[in-house]
Amino acid sequence: MSKEILTLKNVSKTFGDGDTSTTVLKNISFALQQGEFIAIVGPSGSGKSTLLSIIGALLTSSSGNVVINSKNISTYRPKQLSSVRLENIGFIFQSAHLVPYLTVKDQLMLISDISKKNKKENSKRATDFLQHLGLSHRLQTYPNKLSGGEKQRVAIARALMNDPDIILADEPTASLDSARGKQVVELISHEVKSRNKAAIMVTHDERVLHVCDRVLHIEDGKIIEK
Ligand SMILES: Nc1ncnc2c1ncn2[C@@H]1O[C@H](COP(=O)(O)OP(=O)(O)OP(=O)(O)O)[C@@H](O)[C@H]1O
Ligand SMILES: [Mg+2]
């Protein structure tokens, strides 16, 4: 049975105030089910990253509700939002954003240090994820020795470390060639389907859209489902 994991109701976002204010998102509503992988596409400046940041509890909306796992995070204070980020959300960005002075394995352990779970268990979890992503020979490698595709796979493993309900990816294939890009998207899809998660990917890359269940088009701050 599918379960609604995320609901947006009339979410709007305005930056600034008075004469200089701009409304970037206008009454956005949609829902995401467990096991669903959706793509968001739209022109540059249409509000895609802003939307992802609001869903990921990095930014608050100006009005409307964002409900994650039955919790209305729109009413949350900053401290509560940071625990939502840690417990419910896994982020993957355009460039992998790895910490330069940590090895591949430690990039993942950092997340578990923050969430203070069982260290031994997490170490095994990190090793398993990296092995699953074909990186077992890279555990002690630093980011500057990794290829673009390897870095992005580490970023994916890191995003999955805290067992998030929702994976958010902002142009995860932008720095990759088409074969690597396809791999990364298939990996996200596999994670969503096999572990009953949900994912939203912002992308400009038409070649990977077929992997997603639905494509939401955003234009001028509004969603149009084609
Ligand atoms: N902190 C901010 N303050 C003011 N304006 C902002 C802020 N963040 C984003 N904007 C504006 O909001 C609009 C949407 O930005 P956003 O980054 O969400 O677009 P996008 O769809 O992700 O674009 P791209 O495809 O280029 O990444 C842009 O006009 C941008 O200038
Ligand atoms: Mg963007």
Side-chain angles (χ1 to χ4, degrees):
M1 206 187 73
S2 70
K3 182 188 152 208
E4 209 158 277
I5 207 156
L6 169 77
T7 315
L8 271 77
K9 274 199 196 109
N10 293 320
V11 170
S12 296
K13 179 69 182 176
T14 301
F15 286 112
D17 47 73
D19 288 349
T20 58
S21 78
T22 39
T23 298
V24 173
L25 299 174
K26 300 166 188 163
N27 289 317
I28 299 244
S29 299
F30 72 93
L32 184 65
Q33 312 286 327
Q34 230 171 22
E36 229 187 348
F37 182 13
I38 68 171
I40 295 181
V41 301
S44 182
S46 57
K48 304 181 299 295
S49 295
T50 304
L51 181 61
L52 221 57
S53 304
I54 290 172
I55 295 169
L58 285 168
L59 201 63
T60 53
S61 61
S62 306
S63 62
N65 293 311
V66 178
V67 181
I68 294 176
N69 260 344
S70 320
K71 294 182 288 195
N72 186 349
I73 69 162
S74 313
T75 63
Y76 280 22
R77 291 159 191 282
K79 201 173 167 187
Q80 293 172 293
L81 289 173
S82 90
S83 68
V84 169
R85 285 198 294 275
L86 203 57
E87 286 161 20
N88 302 110
I89 307 288
F91 283 103
I92 303 161
F93 299 97
Q94 175 171 345
S95 53
H97 286 300
L98 300 179
V99 183
Y101 49 85
L102 289 180
T103 64
V104 163
K105 174 91 182 275
D106 285 342
Q107 307 277 336
L108 273 66
M109 292 306 291
L110 181 68
I111 303 294
S112 68
D113 286 348
I114 295 165
S115 62
K116 295 191 192 77
K117 287 180 193 154
N118 182 314
K119 183 137 191 169
K120 209 167 165 184
E121 211 171 277
N122 279 323
S123 171
K124 183 176 185 311
R125 188 174 164 77
T127 309
D128 286 351
F129 266 127
L130 292 165
Q131 182 181 13
H132 180 69
L133 298 183
L135 291 165
S136 21
H137 60 305
R138 293 280 186 256
L139 298 186
Q140 301 310 324
T141 305
Y142 288 87
N144 63 354
K145 298 272 162 49
L146 300 173
S147 72
E150 285 174 332
K151 280 184 202 159
Q152 205 53 316
R153 279 182 282 158
V154 174
I156 291 175
R158 185 183 55 185
L160 301 175
M161 247 326 259
N162 59 346
D163 198 24
D165 304 305
I166 305 174
I167 300 160
L168 300 176
D170 200 347
E171 304 197 34
T173 65
S175 60
L176 306 177
D177 64 38
S178 66
R180 288 289 184 201
K182 193 161 166 268
Q183 260 180 20
V184 158
V185 173
E186 280 167 358
L187 207 65
I188 297 171
S189 173
H190 177 80
E191 209 37 50
V192 169
K193 304 297 172 190
S194 65
R195 293 157 53 86
N196 219 16
K197 312 256 169 213
I200 304 177
M201 170 176 66
V202 166
T203 187
H204 281 121
D205 191 350
E206 301 262 326
R207 293 166 306 190
V208 299
L209 290 181
H210 67 278
V211 182
C212 301
D213 302 308
R214 275 194 290 154
V215 180
L216 303 181
H217 294 255
I218 181 163
E219 265 172 51
D220 196 22
K222 289 186 189 147
I223 287 215
I224 324 155
E225 200 162 340
K226 287 188 181 164

